[in-house]
Amino acid sequence: MIAAASVAAMLSVTTLPAVAQATISRGPRTADGKPNLNGIWQVLTEANWDLQGHAAAAGPMVPLGAIGAMPPGQGVVEGEEIPYKSEALVTKKANFADRLKLDPEVKCYLPGVPRATYMPFPFQIVQTPKFILISYEYANAARTIYMEDPGPAPVDSWMGQSVGHWEGDTLVVDATGFNDQSWFDRAGDFHSDALHVVERYTLHGPDMLMYEATIEDKNVFTRPWKISMPIYRRQEKNVQLMEFKCVEFVEELMYGQYRKKPAKQ
Amino acid sequence: MRSPGFWGGRAPRKLQPSEQPTEGSDSMKLLCALVGILVASMCAGQGLVAKKAWTPPRTADGQPDLQGVWTNATITPLERPADLAGKAFFTPGEAAAYEKRVVENANVDRRRSDISADVGLAYNEAWWDRGTHVVKTLRTSLIVDPADGKLPALTADGERRAAGLAEQRRLHPADGPENRSLAERCILWGTAGPPMMPGPYNDNYQIFQAPGYVAIVVEMIHDVRIIPLDARPHLPSNVRQWLGDSRGHWEGNTLVVETTNFTGKTRFRGASENMRLTERFTRTDPDTILYEYTVKDPATWTKPWTAQVTMAKSNSRVYEYACHEGNYAMTGILTGARAGENNSAKAATK
Amino acid sequence: MAKRLWMATVAGAACLSVLGWAAPPPKPAGYVPPRTADGQPDIQGVWNNATITPLERPADLAGKAVFTPAEAAAYEKQAAESNNRDRRGKDGATDVAGAYNQAWFDRGTKVVPTLRTSLIVDPPDGKIPYSAGGQKRLDAAAEYARLHPADGPEDLALADRCILWYTAGPPMLPGPYNSNYQILQAPGYVAILVEMIHDVRIIPLDRRPHLPGSVRQWLGDSRGHWEGNTLVVETTNFTGKSRFHGATENMRLIERFTRTDANTLTYDFTVEDPATFSKPWSASIPMTKSSGPIYEYACHEGNYAVPGILGGARAQEAATK
C-alpha cells in the first residue's frame, strides 16, 4: 500500500509541468487576476525639471550650454500652481536660486516619491500578489509596495514606506514615513517629513499607465494637490534596466576638495 | 544538457552523504525516489522531517518559489581555517562548540595601550551582525571546491595585480575617495556582489518572482538584481557593470544564473573584468535556500572555484540603507588624512 | 482724374472692409479654394511675402493711401535704382556700411497688388498708433541701443543673434531676404514652416486652451479655427522680448489667412497691446505662390557676425584707451 502510494506520489512529482522559463507575460491580467503592471516603464514629461508649466530657460552652468538648459514643459500640476504656504514659497524660491548646491539629484541622492516615477530613466515593476517591487534605474533606487499592510513605517526614509491595494483595476499606493530630504523636481519644490503621497496606477491598454499622485504636507502646502501624467512601456527588443550607479560620478564634486594635493615642487 | 532531476540541482563533484545525491540513471533515480519517499513517510510519522523529500511550491507561472526575505549571515569563513585543515565538516557537537567560541571571541574586551589600536578594536557585536551559526551543511568553509576549502593559487598575472593593489593601498591609503573600499564609498557592498557574500551586518535579501523574471533586492545598498529568464543575449561586451549582467534559467528546482560583463573594478578577491560567475539557488526546505556559486577567471585563478552559503528565511523586512546620503565616513576619513599630513608637515618644519 | 477717383473709391472700400478685426474678410470675386482631404480650405504650398511696400506710410506720402498704377511703377523704379546706387563713404567705415546693394538683399521689386502706400490699413494714416507709454518705452530702448550698441549679445538684433527673424514674428512680415514660407495641413492642424530661421508654427484647430499664463514663448502660443474660407489664428503668451515695435508680453495678435486666388494668400493681421498702442492696428500683406524649395537656414551654426561685432567693439574700446 505504501509502495503503491509512493510510486503514485513519485510519478506525480516527476511529471510536474515544465517550468515557464521564457514567458515574460504581456497579458492584461496576472495569474491572480489583477491588471498586469509587470515590465519596464518610463515617463516622457519634463516634470523632473519643474512640475509646473514653464518655458525653456538657460541652465545654471554656462559650460553645459544647451545640454544644461531647461526644456519647456506644459506642467503636470492640476490647477497649474502648487499651493504653497506663503513662507514655504519663500523657501522654494531660495531652493531654486541655489539649486546647483541644494538639489539632492545633483549629489545622486535617493529621489523620493513621486520624483522617482518621473526621473528621465526607466523603472521596472515586478508584480507578485503580496509585494510589488519597483526598481528604478536612477541610483538603483527601489521601493517595495506592501500589498498587505505592515503597520506604520518603523523609521523615516528617503523612499518612504508604500502600502498598496487594488480599487477595481487601479493600483492605489499610500506612501508615508518620508524624511524631509528629497525634492519633487529640479525647480526647488520640496516637502517636510509630514509628506503623504497617494498614487494611482491604471493601465490604459497594454503599453500605457495613467499615473496620478496626490500630495499632502500640512507643513508646506495649504491643501493637497495632484499631478498626473502617462507612463509608457519601453518596447525595445530585449530592453532591460542598466546600472546608473551615480555615486561614483559625484565623488569629485563632493570630496574633491579633500583630495591630497600634489606635493609642491 | 542535464535533464531536470527530481532532486533538482547539479552536482559537479562528489557529494557527501549529508548532501543531495548525484544524478544517476533514470532507474537509479526512480529507486532513490522510492526509497526517499518511503523513508520520508516513515520519518514523518515519527515527527522528523526528511529534507530531501521536500518540493518547493510553485509561483503562479510555474517557477519554484524562492520568494521571501532571506539572510545569509554566517560565521563560517570563506576559506577553511588553518587549524581545521583536512576537516571538511563539523559534527553537530563541534559546530556548536565552534559557534560558542566565535561568538564569545567577538564580544571579548580587546584593550590596547595605543589609542588608535584601542579604538580600532573597540567594535564588538553591538556594531556587527555577522550571525551566530555556521552554515546548515556544517562545512568548515564556504569554499567546497577545491577540496581543501582554500582559494586556488593565483596565476602569475593575478599575483602581480594583487601585489600592485596592495602596494597602492599601502602608499595611498586616503589620497582621494578612489583609494577607499567600495563599501566606504557607498558604491557596492559585499552582500550584493555578485557573488552574494555575507558581510559585517544586514545580510538581508528579498526575492520576488514574476513571469520571466527573478528579482533580488539586496538590502545593502538597495541594489536590485533583476534577472530575466528568457534566452536573451548578454549586454554588449563593451558595457561593463558593477554587478555584471545576469541571465537566469531553471534547471529543475534550481535557478541557474550566469553573470558576465563585470568591470574589474569590483576587485572581488582580485578578480578581473573577465570573471564569469555561475550561481545556483535551490530551496531545500521552507526556511533554507542553498546558494552555490562557481567563479571562473583564468586570468586570476589557476582553476575555477566553488563556494556554498545557506540562506535562512527571515521574519524581518528589508530596510532602506541610504548609505551615500549619510556618508559622513568619507569626509571624516579624507579630512582626517589631510589633517594628519598637515601635522606631519608642521612637525617636519619645526 | 475719374479713373484715379474710381481707383481710390475701390481701394477705399477695400480698405474699409478690412478695418477692425470683426469685419468680414475680402470676398474674392469667383475664386473658391480647393479643399484638403479633411475638408480644410487648401492654403498649402510655398509662399513668399516680399514687397517694397513699407509697413508704415512714408512721410512724403502722407494722406495718400493708394498709388495709381503709374505712380506705383515709378515708385518701384525709383526703389530699384536707389537700392543699387553707389554709396561711397568718406571714411572706411561708412564706405563699407553703404556697400550692400540688392545683390545682398531680396526685398522684392514690387509694391502690393492693392497699390497701397503702406501695409498698415488701419489706422487710415498708415502709421502705428503708439500710446504715450509705448512711445516712451520705444524711445528709451532706442536711447539705450545708441549708448550700448554691443556690450554683449543681448544688445544685438534678434536676427543677428539668430534667435528670431522678422519673417517669423508673428505677425509674419517680409524681411531683408528669404521671405519664404511653406504651409502644410493635416487633420486638426495647420503648420507654417518659416524658412528664417527654420521656425515651425504648428497651429491646432481644436478649441484647446492656450498654454498657462506662466509660460511665455518667442512666437507666442497660437490657436486657429476656420471661418468660412479664412483661417483665423489667435496668438497670446508672448515674452515681451521679441521687440515687435515695443510691444509687451501682453500683446494679442489675430491673423487671417484667405486664399484669394490660386497664387495669392491674403494675410491680414491685427495687433492689440493697450500698454503700447492707443488702439489696435491692422495690416495686410499678400503672400505669393512660389516655386520653392524651402532651404535650411542654419543661422546660428554659421553665426560669425556676433563674435565679429562684439570682438570689433572690444577692439575699438581697447584702441580708444
Side-chain angles (χ1 to χ4, degrees):
Chain A
M1 175 61 180
I2 288 179
S6 303
V7 168
M10 174 203 71
L11 279 172
S12 68
V13 162
T14 50
T15 52
L16 277 169
V19 170
Q21 304 212 52
T23 320
I24 292 174
S25 166
R26 289 276 297 278
R29 300 257 151 199
T30 59
D32 62 326
K34 299 289 186 266
N36 184 1
L37 307 187
N38 280 296
I40 296 172
W41 303 90
Q42 188 165 346
V43 156
L44 276 182
T45 66
E46 299 78 22
N48 188 51
W49 277 264
D50 187 346
L51 287 177
Q52 296 179 138
H54 58 276
M61 292 206 61
V62 170
L64 280 177
I67 288 177
M70 164 151 15
Q74 289 179 256
V76 298
V77 179
E78 213 171 82
E80 287 177 20
E81 280 203 20
I82 298 173
Y84 278 104
K85 294 174 142 181
S86 46
E87 63 275 17
L89 188 57
V90 173
T91 305
K92 180 245 162 88
K93 291 185 171 153
N95 282 350
F96 181 80
D98 211 8
R99 58 199 185 281
L100 212 47
K101 271 205 354 241
L102 299 178
D103 184 355
E105 187 190 348
V106 171
K107 292 189 279 287
C108 180
Y109 284 169
L110 288 168
V113 174
R115 191 177 188 179
T117 310
Y118 46 82
M119 299 286 293
F121 293 87
F123 57 85
Q124 183 155 3
I125 295 179
V126 178
Q127 180 178 348
T128 78
K130 291 212 182 120
F131 300 96
I132 297 181
L133 168 68
I134 307 187
S135 177
Y136 300 93
E137 188 175 87
Y138 174 77
N140 54 280
R143 55 198 274 236
T144 302
I145 301 170
Y146 290 80
M147 298 305 286
E148 292 166 359
D149 196 339
V155 65
D156 280 356
S157 60
W158 288 74
M159 301 300 290
Q161 172 180 275
S162 296
V163 179
H165 69 276
W166 291 98
E167 275 175 24
D169 280 348
T170 295
L171 174 65
V172 182
V173 180
D174 199 302
T176 53
F178 292 101
N179 62 29
D180 64 352
Q181 297 287 301
S182 62
W183 278 11
F184 291 124
D185 56 25
R186 294 178 182 174
D189 291 309
F190 72 104
H191 59 86
S192 78
D193 61 3
L195 178 65
H196 176 209
V197 182
V198 179
E199 300 166 293
R200 303 176 75 87
Y201 298 80
T202 312
L203 272 173
H204 280 217
D207 299 322
M208 190 180 93
L209 277 167
M210 270 318 288
Y211 174 78
E212 291 175 3
T214 301
I215 291 159
E216 201 180 320
D217 187 332
K218 58 176 166 38
N219 295 332
V220 180
F221 309 113
T222 56
R223 58 168 173 79
W225 50 284
K226 201 163 116 179
I227 62 172
S228 64
M229 64 195 79
I231 309 178
Y232 299 99
R233 185 187 289 278
R234 292 285 299 262
Q235 303 205 58
E236 296 88 326
K237 190 168 190 238
N238 297 329
V239 62
Q240 69 179 68
L241 293 191
M242 292 177 65
E243 279 181 10
F244 187 70
K245 286 179 147 302
C246 43
V247 169
E248 191 192 354
F249 311 143
V250 302
E251 284 184 321
E252 179 57 37
L253 171 69
M254 295 177 71
Y255 311 123
Q257 60 185 304
Y258 307 121
R259 278 190 193 291
K260 185 172 184 173
K261 305 278 184 298
K264 289 199 170 70
Q265 297 303 317
Chain B
M1 152 117 181
R2 289 178 190 273
S3 55
F6 171 62
W7 303 114
R10 182 178 73 90
R13 69 245 170 326
K14 191 159 186 262
L15 290 160
Q16 300 295 328
S18 63
E19 292 179 63
Q20 296 170 0
T22 56
E23 287 178 4
S25 65
D26 279 349
S27 55
M28 269 307 287
K29 212 164 48 166
L30 229 61
L31 185 59
C32 286
L34 255 174
V35 169
I37 291 186
L38 277 168
V39 169
S41 53
M42 292 193 300
C43 287
Q46 295 168 16
L48 293 170
V49 177
K51 284 181 235 177
K52 293 188 201 62
W54 188 77
T55 307
R58 296 262 167 152
T59 64
D61 63 305
Q63 299 181 45
D65 196 334
L66 300 176
Q67 298 182 101
V69 181
W70 305 88
T71 171
N72 66 359
T74 180
I75 59 171
T76 305
L78 179 70
E79 295 189 277
R80 188 168 303 146
D83 60 329
L84 291 171
K87 189 175 178 54
F89 287 87
F90 288 122
T91 65
E94 286 167 338
Y98 182 83
E99 286 168 357
K100 186 163 182 288
R101 198 174 72 238
V102 167
V103 170
E104 276 173 5
N105 210 41
N107 280 301
V108 80
D109 264 351
R110 285 175 292 211
R111 303 312 306 263
R112 294 287 185 279
S113 47
D114 171 69
I115 293 177
S116 290
D118 195 41
V119 167
L121 293 167
Y123 291 97
N124 65 3
E125 285 302 290
W127 297 90
W128 308 115
D129 188 15
R130 296 187 192 280
T132 50
H133 292 294
V134 295
V135 285
K136 265 184 138 167
T137 56
L138 303 189
R139 284 185 163 277
T140 53
S141 65
L142 298 180
I143 291 179
V144 302
D145 177 51
D148 68 354
K150 315 274 286 172
L151 286 166
L154 290 169
T155 61
D157 185 48
E159 290 218 21
R160 189 185 51 77
R161 262 184 290 114
L165 280 173
E167 186 66 0
Q168 275 293 301
R169 272 193 289 270
R170 194 182 69 79
L171 292 172
H172 306 283
D175 285 6
E178 307 78 14
N179 300 131
R180 308 304 304 175
S181 74
L182 294 180
E184 276 172 10
R185 294 167 76 187
C186 289
I187 290 176
L188 192 68
W189 211 258
T191 48
M196 309 190 301
M197 295 292 291
Y201 41 83
N202 298 353
D203 300 318
N204 301 315
Y205 306 84
Q206 186 163 11
I207 299 182
F208 305 87
Q209 289 165 272
Y213 286 99
V214 173
I216 306 174
V217 172
V218 185
E219 187 169 73
M220 309 290 277
I221 310 167
H222 56 78
D223 270 309
V224 184
R225 303 182 61 197
I226 298 185
I227 302 161
L229 304 177
D230 59 12
R232 66 177 67 190
H234 277 285
L235 290 173
S237 60
N238 65 312
V239 177
R240 316 308 279 196
Q241 306 199 125
W242 290 102
L243 281 84
D245 182 53
S246 297
R247 299 287 179 262
H249 65 277
W250 285 96
E251 285 176 12
N253 287 336
T254 296
L255 174 67
V256 181
V257 180
E258 308 270 359
T259 306
T260 58
N261 296 71
F262 287 99
T263 63
K265 297 194 288 186
T266 36
R267 300 182 191 152
F268 170 68
R269 304 273 165 173
S272 75
E273 64 169 13
N274 294 319
M275 174 169 100
R276 292 183 70 92
L277 180 71
T278 305
E279 297 160 284
R280 294 186 150 74
F281 299 76
T282 313
R283 195 163 173 194
T284 52
D285 66 54
D287 299 319
T288 311
I289 289 179
L290 179 67
Y291 171 72
E292 181 190 285
Y293 66 84
T294 301
V295 176
K296 283 196 181 84
D297 187 9
T300 308
W301 290 286
T302 47
K303 48 187 179 147
W305 56 275
T306 300
Q308 274 183 2
V309 191
T310 47
M311 300 173 76
K313 205 88 186 321
S314 167
N315 291 330
S316 183
R317 62 157 73 191
V318 168
Y319 286 86
E320 172 180 282
Y321 184 60
C323 183
H324 172 61
E325 293 74 6
N327 195 353
Y328 298 95
M330 182 60 71
T331 312
I333 291 167
L334 295 180
T335 49
R338 300 294 82 83
E341 285 151 16
N342 231 16
N343 292 341
S344 311
K346 284 194 182 126
T349 57
K350 279 186 179 136
Chain C
M1 188 67 169
K3 191 179 178 190
R4 270 188 77 192
L5 190 59
W6 177 75
M7 286 295 295
T9 312
V10 168
C15 167
L16 281 168
S17 75
V18 300
L19 259 179
W21 23 282
K27 243 188 141 88
Y31 179 75
V32 176
R35 297 256 160 170
T36 65
D38 65 306
Q40 298 182 47
D42 194 335
I43 56 172
Q44 295 182 103
V46 180
W47 305 91
N48 176 290
N49 68 357
T51 177
I52 61 170
T53 305
L55 178 67
E56 296 189 276
R57 187 165 303 143
D60 59 332
L61 291 170
K64 187 174 182 55
V66 189
F67 286 126
T68 64
E71 284 168 339
Y75 184 84
E76 286 165 358
K77 184 163 181 287
Q78 183 196 50
E81 281 167 3
S82 170
N83 287 336
N84 282 300
R85 75 179 188 287
D86 265 350
R87 284 175 291 199
R88 304 315 305 266
K90 294 191 184 67
D91 58 75
T94 36
D95 196 42
V96 166
Y100 290 96
N101 65 3
Q102 283 306 293
W104 298 91
F105 294 112
D106 189 14
R107 299 189 189 282
T109 51
K110 301 235 166 276
V111 295
V112 288
T114 57
L115 305 188
R116 289 188 144 276
T117 53
S118 66
L119 298 177
I120 290 179
V121 300
D122 179 53
D125 67 354
K127 313 275 284 167
I128 297 175
Y130 292 104
S131 65
Q135 187 65 59
K136 202 156 149 227
R137 251 186 292 112
L138 210 59
D139 294 340
E143 181 64 7
Y144 184 88
R146 195 182 66 78
L147 293 170
H148 305 276
D151 287 5
E154 306 78 14
D155 294 338
L156 306 179
L158 293 180
D160 287 341
R161 295 164 75 187
C162 289
I163 290 175
L164 191 67
W165 206 259
Y166 316 95
T167 51
M172 310 191 298
L173 292 172
Y177 40 84
N178 300 352
S179 303
N180 300 316
Y181 307 83
Q182 182 163 16
I183 299 182
L184 295 161
Q185 290 165 275
Y189 285 97
V190 173
I192 306 174
L193 165 61
V194 185
E195 187 169 66
M196 308 288 278
I197 312 168
H198 53 78
D199 267 312
V200 184
R201 302 181 61 197
I202 297 186
I203 303 162
L205 303 177
D206 58 14
R207 291 291 178 170
R208 67 179 66 187
H210 278 283
L211 289 173
S214 56
V215 181
R216 316 308 281 192
Q217 306 199 123
W218 289 101
L219 282 84
D221 181 53
S222 297
R223 299 285 179 265
H225 67 277
W226 287 97
E227 284 174 14
N229 288 336
T230 297
L231 175 66
V232 181
V233 180
E234 303 195 25
T235 305
T236 58
N237 296 73
F238 287 100
T239 63
K241 298 192 290 184
S242 41
R243 302 181 191 169
F244 177 70
H245 297 280
T248 70
E249 62 170 18
N250 294 318
M251 176 170 112
R252 191 165 160 263
L253 177 70
I254 311 273
E255 297 158 286
R256 291 188 150 79
F257 300 76
T258 313
R259 195 161 176 191
T260 46
D261 65 54
N263 294 318
T264 310
L265 184 60
T266 298
Y267 173 72
D268 306 316
F269 68 82
T270 302
V271 177
E272 200 182 306
D273 186 15
T276 310
F277 312 115
S278 53
K279 48 182 175 158
W281 55 276
S282 302
S284 181
I285 311 159
M287 301 173 74
T288 311
K289 210 60 166 9
S290 168
S291 55
I294 298 285
Y295 286 88
E296 172 183 277
Y297 185 60
C299 185
H300 172 62
E301 293 73 9
N303 196 348
Y304 298 94
V306 169
I309 295 167
L310 296 180
R314 302 292 85 80
Q316 277 185 316
E317 285 156 14
T320 55
K321 281 202 175 101

